[in-house]
Amino acid sequence: MSLLNDLVNLNLCDVTEKVIAEYIWIGGSGMDMRSKARTLPGPESDPSRLPKWNYDGSSTEQATGDNSEVIIYPQAIFRDPFRRGRNMLVMCDAYTPIGDPIPTNKRFNADKIFSHPDVVAEEPWYGIEQEYTLFQKDTKWPLGWPIGGFPAPQGPYYCGVGSDKAFGRDIVDAHYKACLFAGINISGINGEVMPGQWEFQVGPVTGISSGDQVWMARYILERITEIAGAVLSFDPKPVLVCPNSYNFFSFFFGYFFLFFNLLINEAIEKLSKRHKEHIAAYGKGNERRLTGLHETADINTFSWGVANRGASVRVGRDTEKEGKGYFEDRRPSSNMDPYVVTSMIAETTILWKP
């Protein structure tokens, strides 16, 4: 085993200029991540200079067997925390052989929105809170839960410390450091209200990079849980039969550094008028979470308020006081597509004319 570890950790920089690039893309479910590696002649910082590649789309539910080739275009480069050295993780999106984005390529339309001159001029910033649950591999039951049973009610677990309160911290800290190594603007982590439930934050990040960084952070977390022998879930309500009041969500912070009384109010008003469209795009299973209970708004009704965690959109006290700052859209689910949600917020608040 020690020899295997030595080989895995070989430093190639001393013997070759070549590097390993792990090409990563989103699979047919819209949540599964796929990747494969190739050797390149040397390191590269510009994704447009990397070669395109292809994969068998019939094996990822993204093409038929008689026309299975899908082309992946490199879009963002990150340092590889697993192979280290000069090796790379490459975030890609997927196209047909004639250059059309395939239906599951949500990055393409998002990039068009973020490239619009009005959006570029506004420069929206995003901070994204990503929550997740760690499960025991063999039992498919959350870490820290008695097998087939339920933990004590929430209270001691949020930001908790101790072997009876925090479960999976080694995975969480490994992910935190790996994201920083990769070049992701991860801004923090914390334990959440349910045993085995954690959160990380990415941002502030501008434009299309917010989606690239969240997807790459998800990929790195998936790889780390693979190594640790745990199972990762982004489901917004991962244990339906739990009798305790656990909730599970991700937030999107739209950092618009503008005058609160005019422009943020105007943005929130626009969001209210497209509530149904946003809910439809904000993740699967959200109706199980947005019940109007446990610090959530009702899925059918838009609301907003200052310091109100039961509203669809929350404005912080500092933003109200300073007359500028950010607002928090609390509706997106933890399994949302960040390309879809961030670009939709930009489209509604900047481009859409009611």
Side-chain angles (χ1 to χ4, degrees):
M1 185 61 73
S2 61
L3 176 58
L4 179 60
N5 287 334
D6 288 345
L7 291 172
V8 168
N9 294 315
L10 273 178
N11 185 352
L12 302 178
C13 297
D14 296 335
V15 296
T16 181
E17 291 295 317
K18 295 179 179 179
V19 299
I20 301 171
E22 190 80 22
Y23 277 44
I24 299 155
W25 69 95
I26 300 161
S29 73
M31 278 302 296
D32 60 309
M33 302 198 74
R34 310 292 179 117
S35 73
K36 60 179 183 174
R38 66 183 299 167
T39 305
L40 297 177
E44 180 57 67
S45 59
D46 181 356
S48 68
R49 294 172 60 87
L50 293 178
K52 297 172 185 176
W53 207 4
N54 64 75
Y55 66 89
D56 173 17
S58 67
S59 296
T60 62
E61 299 183 352
Q62 292 171 297
T64 58
D66 60 345
N67 188 21
S68 65
E69 189 169 283
V70 178
I71 314 301
I72 42 179
Y73 293 21
Q75 299 291 0
I77 296 173
F78 299 86
R79 291 183 290 272
D80 187 341
F82 304 103
R83 297 187 176 102
R84 287 167 284 188
R86 296 174 299 174
N87 301 302
M88 301 178 290
L89 302 178
V90 183
M91 192 68 214
C92 304
D93 58 354
Y95 296 81
T96 67
I98 63 172
D100 295 326
I102 66 173
T104 53
N105 180 356
K106 306 303 182 184
R107 190 187 191 279
F108 180 81
N109 283 331
D111 195 39
K112 287 202 300 184
I113 291 170
F114 284 121
S115 298
H116 191 285
D118 291 348
V119 178
V120 171
E122 197 64 64
E123 194 183 8
W125 291 11
Y126 297 91
I128 300 174
E129 293 186 4
Q130 174 67 69
E131 298 196 6
Y132 59 93
T133 300
L134 298 172
F135 282 75
Q136 303 167 61
K137 182 179 179 180
D138 296 330
T139 64
K140 303 298 190 292
W141 209 237
L143 292 185
W145 289 40
I147 303 303
F150 301 98
Q154 67 186 61
Y157 311 110
Y158 173 71
C159 299
V161 178
S163 61
D164 59 342
K165 305 177 190 70
F167 306 93
R169 191 185 295 276
D170 53 347
I171 293 172
V172 174
D173 280 349
H175 176 249
Y176 197 172
K177 290 183 177 181
C179 284
L180 288 172
F181 181 93
I184 293 168
N185 192 26
I186 185 170
S187 48
I189 56 96
N190 61 267
E192 266 299 337
V193 298
M194 187 179 83
Q197 180 189 4
W198 294 84
E199 169 192 307
F200 65 87
Q201 304 95 33
V202 173
V205 185
T206 60
I208 196 68
S209 293
S210 57
D212 290 336
Q213 292 197 25
V214 170
W215 274 116
M216 188 57 69
R218 285 175 170 178
Y219 172 82
I220 291 171
L221 181 57
E222 192 87 62
R223 286 281 303 276
I224 291 171
T225 57
E226 172 190 323
I227 295 167
V231 176
L232 173 65
S233 174
F234 293 115
D235 191 280
K237 204 77 171 179
V239 184
L240 290 177
V241 294
C242 181
N244 297 319
S245 300
Y246 295 118
N247 200 32
F248 193 50
F249 42 81
S250 64
F251 301 150
F252 278 74
F253 294 173
Y255 286 88
F256 294 96
F257 287 98
L258 307 169
F259 290 106
F260 167 71
N261 287 331
L262 176 62
L263 296 178
I264 290 184
N265 268 3
E266 180 182 314
I268 293 173
E269 178 66 20
K270 287 184 174 182
L271 289 172
S272 73
K273 293 179 178 179
R274 299 190 73 195
H275 177 65
K276 289 184 178 180
E277 294 95 325
H278 279 254
I279 288 294
Y282 273 13
K284 296 178 181 178
N286 226 355
E287 71 283 351
R288 293 183 274 123
R289 181 180 70 87
L290 296 179
T291 61
L293 303 173
H294 317 312
E295 297 187 346
T296 69
D298 179 78
I299 194 170
N300 298 307
T301 306
F302 182 90
S303 60
W304 77 276
V306 176
N308 184 357
R309 294 185 177 274
S312 306
V313 171
R314 182 180 74 91
V315 175
R317 291 287 184 196
D318 287 344
T319 299
E320 180 189 38
K321 180 181 178 181
E322 298 295 329
K324 59 184 177 180
Y326 69 85
F327 63 82
E328 175 184 289
D329 191 339
R330 297 176 61 82
R331 297 170 295 171
S333 172
S334 48
N335 60 10
M336 52 72 217
D337 187 324
Y339 292 135
V340 173
V341 175
T342 56
S343 62
M344 193 172 194
I345 291 174
E347 181 184 36
T348 295
T349 58
I350 300 171
L351 300 180
W352 184 62
K353 307 298 182 185

